[in-house]
């Protein structure tokens, strides 16, 4: 029985370190988890330990709706510092432009078009870093680009 408990603890700890969690505001409780991204690029609504609801799948700089990588379910394509709607790269289909730690609406980098700011594993609304504008706190190894994270949080 002790061996089983030890093995379960090790597996649980390994899973916990290989995931990214988005917490609502500055929360850190399990009830504050909005999204969980596992190391395979599967995005769960809430905490994947308790909720099997898959919102998105991330693969090859693309974000797909639900489980799998069917081209018909492609929501966003990331190329360089741009996020495009669907599986395209036309300038008219730019949803976000990424510059530094900021995400801008459309094909612009004007301050008035800033929709998200990433700072110290926190995501703020607009170009602000005030605590009142804090949307999410991110925990875990953030091995995904800001563009992909913006696709999951958005659209704005």
């Amino acid at each position: 029985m002790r061996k089983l408990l030890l093995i379960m603890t090790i597996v649980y700890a390994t899973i916990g370190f290989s995931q990214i969690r988005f917490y609502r505001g500055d929360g850190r409780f399990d009830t504050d988890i909005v999204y969980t991204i596992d190391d395979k690029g599967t995005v769960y609504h809430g905490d994947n330990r308790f909720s099997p609801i898959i919102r998105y799948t991330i693969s090859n700089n693309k974000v797909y709706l639900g489980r799998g990588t069917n081209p018909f379910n492609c929501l966003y394509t990331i190329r360089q510092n741009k996020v495009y709607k669907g599986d395209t790269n036309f300038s008219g289909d730019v949803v976000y432009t990424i510059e530094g730690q900021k995400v801008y609406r459309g094909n612009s980098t004007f301050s008035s078009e800033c929709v998200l700011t990433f700072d110290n594993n926190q995501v703020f609304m607009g170009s602000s870093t005030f605590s009142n504008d804090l949307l999410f706190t991110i925990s875990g190894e953030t091995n995904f680009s800001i563009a992909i994270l913006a696709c999951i949080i958005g659209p704005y």
Side-chain angles (χ1 to χ4, degrees):
M1 184 66 167
R2 287 185 180 186
K3 286 183 181 180
L4 179 62
L5 185 60
L6 178 65
I7 290 171
M8 288 177 57
T9 303
I10 291 171
V11 168
Y12 177 74
T14 303
I15 290 171
F17 288 120
S18 63
Q19 297 180 341
I20 300 171
R21 289 192 171 92
F22 288 82
Y23 293 89
R24 187 174 294 112
D26 61 352
R28 288 294 183 152
F29 296 107
D30 286 348
T31 56
D32 295 325
I33 297 174
V34 179
Y35 295 111
T36 302
I37 306 173
D38 69 13
D39 58 347
K40 297 174 188 152
T42 306
V43 181
Y44 296 88
H45 182 271
D47 188 353
N48 66 338
R49 294 174 292 172
F50 307 113
S51 173
I53 300 170
I54 296 175
R55 298 286 295 216
Y56 309 107
T57 300
I58 302 166
S59 178
N60 297 325
N61 286 329
K62 294 184 181 189
V63 177
Y64 298 89
L65 181 63
R67 181 185 297 269
T69 57
N70 183 333
F72 294 110
N73 292 338
C74 182
L75 296 175
Y76 303 105
T77 300
I78 293 96
R79 289 195 177 92
Q80 296 165 348
N81 68 333
K82 305 279 186 192
V83 176
Y84 298 88
K85 183 178 179 181
D87 189 13
T88 182
N89 63 352
F90 297 114
S91 62
D93 292 330
V94 174
V95 178
Y96 299 126
T97 299
I98 313 301
E99 187 172 287
Q101 300 291 340
K102 297 190 182 285
V103 179
Y104 297 89
R105 183 181 296 116
N107 201 8
S108 170
T109 55
F110 292 120
S111 61
S112 62
E113 296 297 324
C114 183
V115 292
L116 298 171
T117 299
F118 287 78
D119 186 43
N120 294 325
N121 289 330
Q122 293 182 319
V123 183
F124 296 89
M125 184 173 18
S127 60
S128 168
T129 56
F130 293 118
S131 60
N132 288 346
D133 296 321
L134 179 61
L135 296 173
F136 301 103
T137 299
I138 302 171
S139 75
E141 188 72 28
T142 53
N143 54 354
F144 292 102
S145 70
I146 288 177
I148 288 177
L149 299 178
C151 292
I152 293 166
I153 295 169
Y156 284 94

